[in-house]
């Protein structure tokens, strides 16, 4: 879509990669390409919907536009209320501050009940321990089974809530408070 005078946001080839770290030295062994080359433009009085399966990068796109992350690549041209055209992807943090009154995000899970300092393994394992359903190795196996059941990869059980998508988090939260012994 070509930009014109009515364009308020033009996103060009936006990329947001997250490093994957492993081992004792926490070396970068690869990248999660959460957003990989997204382009669109938005005109005044237009509503744009972005849809796609859980984990495809919708929220990350929003966060990258808002500069809650430093984008790995691409441009985010925004026309301010004052009429300036600025690239939010590279603008200085100080200049970004006043723009936060103009562009904002409504979060998907603002009342998230997940403890950000606990891994998913501990979050899902906690009720199992409290209710003496399982502990140790056995608990890990049950956590893995629960994760698989809701379509989460058990290999990610040592990750923290912020490393999952909103939809994935909803599924973690859905399992976490369960009182019944898992099947
Ligand atoms: N901080 C992060 N570190 C590592 N990986 C991340 C991070 N944030 C998101 N991801 C990964 O990037 C991908 C995109 O996540 P994102 O939250 O943008 O998905 P989404 O499209 O909003 O999904 P949903 O519909 O479930 O909300 C997912 O695979 C997620 O696991
Ligand atoms: Mg999301």
């Amino acid at each position: 879509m070509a930009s014109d005078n009515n364009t308020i946001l033009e996103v060009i080839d936006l990329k947001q990669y997250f490093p994957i770290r492993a081992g004792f030295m926490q070396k970068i062994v690869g990248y999660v390409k959460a957003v990989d080359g997204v382009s669109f433009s938005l005109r005044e009085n237009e509503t744009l919907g972005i849809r796609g399966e859980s984990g495809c990068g919708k929220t990350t796109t929003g966060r990258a536009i808002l500069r809650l992350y430093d984008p790995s690549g691409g441009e985010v041209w925004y026309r301010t209320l004052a009429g300036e055209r600025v690239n939010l992807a590279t603008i200085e943090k100080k200049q970004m501050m006043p723009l936060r009154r103009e562009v904002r995000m409504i979060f998907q899970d603002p009342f998230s009940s997940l403890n950000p300092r606990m891994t998913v393994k501990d979050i899902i394992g906690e009720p199992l321990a409290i209710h003496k359903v399982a502990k140790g190795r056995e608990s890990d196996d049950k956590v893995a089974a629960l994760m698989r059941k809701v379509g989460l990869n058990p290999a990610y059980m040592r990750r923290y809530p912020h490393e999952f998508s909103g939809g994935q988090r909803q599924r973690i939260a859905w399992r976490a408070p369960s009182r019944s012994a898992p099947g």
Side-chain angles (χ1 to χ4, degrees), residues 54-60 105 108 164-169:
S54 176
C56 77
K58 303 177 296 292
T59 297
T60 305
M105 185 152 175
Q108 186 174 20
F164 290 86
S165 77
Q168 288 167 337
R169 273 203 294 270

Side-chain angles (χ1 to χ4, degrees), residues 67 90-100:
R67 200 56 185 281
T90 54
I91 195 175
E92 287 200 28
K93 286 264 158 80
K94 214 168 77 185
Q95 288 176 281
M96 187 68 209
M97 213 98 91
L99 297 180
R100 296 212 178 277

Side-chain angles (χ1 to χ4, degrees), residues 50-70:
I50 300 178
R51 67 173 189 181
E53 65 183 64
S54 176
C56 77
K58 303 177 296 292
T59 297
T60 305
T61 299
R63 295 179 70 99
I65 289 170
L66 278 178
R67 200 56 185 281
L68 297 177
Y69 300 128
D70 287 326

Side-chain angles (χ1 to χ4, degrees), residues 18-175:
F18 297 108
I20 301 166
R21 295 173 190 274
F24 177 63
M25 299 300 285
Q26 288 292 287
K27 266 182 29 186
I28 295 175
V29 294
Y31 290 89
V32 176
K33 296 184 173 181
V35 176
D36 198 18
V38 166
S39 304
F40 61 85
S41 57
L42 179 66
R43 298 164 73 202
E44 218 164 331
N45 298 320
E46 222 175 40
T47 303
L48 178 73
I50 300 178
R51 67 173 189 181
E53 65 183 64
S54 176
C56 77
K58 303 177 296 292
T59 297
T60 305
T61 299
R63 295 179 70 99
I65 289 170
L66 278 178
R67 200 56 185 281
L68 297 177
Y69 300 128
D70 287 326
S72 311
E75 299 161 39
V76 178
W77 291 101
Y78 169 65
R79 196 187 75 209
T80 68
L81 288 177
E84 289 168 301
R85 217 169 114 84
V86 293
N87 183 358
L88 300 184
T90 54
I91 195 175
E92 287 200 28
K93 286 264 158 80
K94 214 168 77 185
Q95 288 176 281
M96 187 68 209
M97 213 98 91
L99 297 180
R100 296 212 178 277
R101 291 164 173 268
E102 300 184 19
V103 197
R104 45 187 97 174
M105 185 152 175
I106 314 274
F107 291 98
Q108 186 174 20
D109 51 350
F111 307 111
S112 172
S113 55
L114 301 175
N115 185 335
R117 289 181 194 81
M118 281 167 76
T119 63
V120 166
K121 175 170 100 82
D122 293 331
I123 290 169
I124 300 176
E126 192 175 48
L128 301 181
I130 290 171
H131 299 285
K132 300 197 166 47
V133 174
K135 59 179 184 179
R137 188 58 214 268
E138 198 194 340
S139 171
D140 289 3
D141 290 346
K142 288 212 189 299
V143 168
L146 282 168
M147 289 179 78
R148 242 178 257 117
K149 211 167 163 180
V150 296
L152 295 169
N153 186 345
Y156 297 160
M157 66 163 75
R158 279 175 188 80
R159 289 193 184 183
Y160 291 90
H162 77 270
E163 295 176 276
F164 290 86
S165 77
Q168 288 167 337
R169 273 203 294 270
Q170 286 170 342
R171 280 175 270 157
I172 294 162
W174 176 68
R175 283 318 310 192

